[in-house]
Amino acid sequence: MTHDVRAPLPGARYLDCLAADFDRLRSVASDADPAAAVPSCPGWTVADLVRHVGQVYVDKTHAIREGVESEWPPKGTADAEPFALLERAYGDLRGELTTRAPEDPAGGWYEPDRTVGFWIRRMAQETVIHRIDAELGAGHEVAPVPEDLAVDGVDELLKVFVAYAVSGWTEYFAETLDVSPGRTFDIRAVGTKAAAWRIRTGPARFTVEDGTGDGTAADATVTGPPAALLRDLWNRQGPDEAPQVTITGPPDAVTELRACIRIATQ
């Protein structure tokens, strides 16, 4: 089972992206009606989103400091004022991420990499996705996602989330994958930071390789600029946005791929 990630971005790059996306999230959410719906997170308001991000930051700070993730929701956060929680939690998280070495140990659910560096990457990717949620909830234009961060985010989603989840919690994917005839998918990011991934599925199987394998045609392909690809795979498209991703292949194959991603990230 392939879980290795391609070479990660430098830690300083993740931290810069985290800071920029946190600032953008806080700014657009502050301008929005707290009761406004977030279309990419059904059932959530902007206030719910802000509180959730604050809770995630509290949880990961605890994972770094104590070596284990906290209860959910973290104690004292359920009724906290969302923006106060967000500010405090980000400050605490930033302090941990910038004063420890990336190789220092940390608690976490991803057994292959229980280090601070894992959380530096994960929090940068978590924040850019929720920054997009905040923009959609506030009715703002979605700001660009840097190509290098977007390519890295697609890589993390496919390998750290989906492939790892299928191998570790196979039963959750049984309804989707037990009936799979065995398929191949190509995910292609096109642009300055071009990249590609070959996915192979089947009963209890979801493997990911860099590139497009042996050159044989895939059963389905998903192609687009890195940022559009990241948003499409995370289901973060705005309701009125023109699609920038091209999908080819039979509908049942595409449904299988999307079901695996949904289960792994819910």
Side-chain angles (χ1 to χ4, degrees):
M1 191 70 64
T2 300
H3 302 310
D4 298 311
V5 296
R6 57 179 76 219
L9 304 179
R13 176 61 175 153
Y14 287 126
L15 290 170
D16 286 347
C17 291
L18 171 60
D21 286 317
F22 171 78
D23 286 345
R24 174 71 174 169
L25 186 161
R26 176 182 55 187
S27 175
V28 298
S30 297
D31 288 343
D33 177 355
V38 179
S40 47
C41 300
W44 279 13
T45 65
V46 169
D48 293 331
L49 172 67
V50 171
R51 180 178 289 107
H52 171 78
V53 176
Q55 289 172 326
V56 169
Y57 290 167
V58 169
D59 183 55
K60 305 325 171 194
T61 298
H62 188 272
I64 294 169
R65 288 176 176 170
E66 306 299 330
V68 292
E69 293 178 274
S70 60
E71 61 187 26
W72 191 266
K75 184 177 180 180
T77 64
D79 298 321
E81 196 285 320
F83 285 94
L85 172 64
L86 182 71
E87 290 281 357
R88 171 177 60 81
Y90 177 72
D92 290 344
L93 176 69
R94 185 88 188 178
E96 297 299 323
L97 297 182
T98 57
T99 58
R100 297 177 187 263
E103 63 270 18
D104 284 351
W109 50 266
Y110 186 63
E111 290 187 11
D113 187 4
R114 287 176 168 164
T115 66
V116 172
F118 173 84
W119 289 122
I120 292 174
R121 182 195 199 194
R122 178 83 284 280
M123 289 300 93
Q125 295 296 347
E126 177 90 2
T127 303
V128 71
I129 293 300
H130 286 319
R131 179 263 282 179
I132 293 168
D133 291 330
E135 290 167 325
L136 295 174
H140 283 240
E141 181 178 356
V142 174
V145 178
E147 284 197 351
D148 59 343
L149 186 69
V151 167
D152 182 76
V154 172
D155 191 78
E156 185 206 39
L157 171 62
L158 296 177
K159 297 175 182 176
V160 175
F161 278 89
V162 191
Y164 182 67
V166 172
S167 67
W169 299 280
T170 308
E171 64 274 15
Y172 292 108
F173 299 85
E175 184 177 346
T176 297
L177 291 177
D178 281 0
V179 297
S180 173
R183 293 186 169 106
T184 58
F185 302 86
D186 282 346
I187 309 296
R188 300 174 182 268
V190 295
T192 304
K193 299 291 184 181
W197 299 263
R198 168 62 62 94
I199 298 168
R200 302 180 193 277
T201 64
R205 183 186 190 195
F206 189 104
T207 61
V208 184
E209 302 169 358
D210 293 336
T212 53
D214 57 7
T216 58
D219 293 301
T221 64
V222 184
T223 305
L229 195 61
L230 179 70
R231 291 180 61 191
D232 179 84
L233 295 176
W234 273 105
N235 197 27
R236 257 57 184 195
Q237 293 289 15
D240 300 320
E241 289 182 285
Q244 298 183 52
V245 170
T246 300
I247 301 172
T248 63
D252 57 341
V254 177
T255 297
E256 178 183 304
L257 175 64
R258 292 202 182 278
C260 288
I261 294 172
R262 183 186 70 253
I263 295 165
T265 56
Q266 64 186 5

